[in-house]
């Protein structure tokens, strides 16, 4: 997480969100980071691969907690927080995947939008909140940037602090 914060901060200094134009500002800034910024390719690669390791580490941690029975009484609330943190981590990865706003990012946005709109009753509302509408537009990349840079870090950090405080208060669980 700390490596992601450091590399993400460096990338954020040079990234320009924006989905209009050809090439888009988002793609152009990513291209600048990769080709002209000293060590930019390495920093972006470290950020990219550390994301994969973090998702895997959170998933494996959840598996360990499940298989040793550490989710049982009195740690149910902490288990629920952990599940929410797993979802936040996955959503971090998704929003970051869209930020270059290349063909893969656009396609992933379209798939995510279709998934959001397929939710019964509240799908269009979810699409409006997360994607800024029911169509993938230039504003979608800006919305994902704000989620990736401001909203998710705030939510994730607060939840991690609460999660770790509960572990500290309750102690580590013994395997059942």
């Amino acid at each position: 997480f700390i490596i992601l914060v450091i590399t993400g901060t460096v990338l954020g200094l040079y990234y320009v969100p924006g989905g209009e134009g050809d090439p888009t500002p988002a793609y152009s800034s990513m291209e600048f980071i990769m080709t002209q910024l000293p060590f930019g390719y390495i920093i972006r690669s470290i950020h990219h691969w550390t994301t994969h390791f973090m998702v895997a580490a959170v998933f494996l941690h959840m598996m360990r907690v499940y298989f040793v029975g550490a989710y049982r009484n009195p740690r149910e609330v902490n288990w629920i927080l952990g599940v929410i943190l797993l979802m936040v981590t996955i959503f971090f990865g998704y929003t970051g995947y869209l930020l270059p706003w290349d063909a893969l990012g656009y396609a992933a946005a379209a798939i995510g939008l279709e998934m959001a709109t397929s939710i019964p009753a509240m799908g269009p509302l979810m699409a409006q909140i997360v994607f800024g509408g029911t169509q993938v537009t230039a504003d979608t990349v800006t919305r994902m940037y704000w989620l990736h840079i401001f909203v998710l870090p705030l939510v994730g950090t607060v939840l991690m602090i609460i999660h770790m405080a509960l572990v500290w208060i309750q102690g580590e669980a013994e395997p059942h």
Side-chain angles (χ1 to χ4, degrees), residues 150-168:
F150 297 110
V151 176
L152 291 174
L154 177 65
V155 170
T157 302
V158 168
L159 290 176
M160 276 191 282
I161 289 169
I162 295 169
H163 186 69
M164 288 186 271
L166 285 173
V167 169
W168 184 67

Side-chain angles (χ1 to χ4, degrees), residues 88-120:
V88 167
T89 304
I90 291 170
F91 200 55
F92 250 125
Y94 177 72
T95 57
Y97 191 75
L98 302 183
L99 290 184
W101 210 237
D102 53 2
L104 287 174
Y106 187 87
I111 292 168
L113 181 63
E114 289 296 321
M115 290 172 62
T117 55
S118 71
I119 298 171

Side-chain angles (χ1 to χ4, degrees), residues 21-105:
D22 188 26
T24 64
Y27 184 80
S28 296
S29 63
M30 190 249 341
E31 192 174 51
F32 170 79
I33 290 167
M34 296 288 288
T35 60
Q36 296 176 13
L37 181 67
F39 303 105
Y41 186 86
I42 293 170
I43 293 168
R44 184 167 181 259
S45 294
I46 291 170
H47 192 74
H48 172 85
W49 286 106
T50 306
T51 301
H52 292 297
F53 287 126
M54 179 151 174
V55 171
V58 172
F59 178 75
L60 290 173
H61 174 66
M62 295 291 291
M63 297 289 291
R64 183 198 64 84
V65 169
Y66 177 77
F67 284 120
V68 301
Y71 59 90
R72 294 187 179 119
N73 191 23
R75 295 175 176 85
E76 297 94 343
V77 171
N78 218 10
W79 171 258
I80 293 169
L81 279 174
V83 171
I84 294 169
L85 277 168
L86 175 64
M87 295 302 134
V88 167
T89 304
I90 291 170
F91 200 55
F92 250 125
Y94 177 72
T95 57
Y97 191 75
L98 302 183
L99 290 184
W101 210 237
D102 53 2
L104 287 174

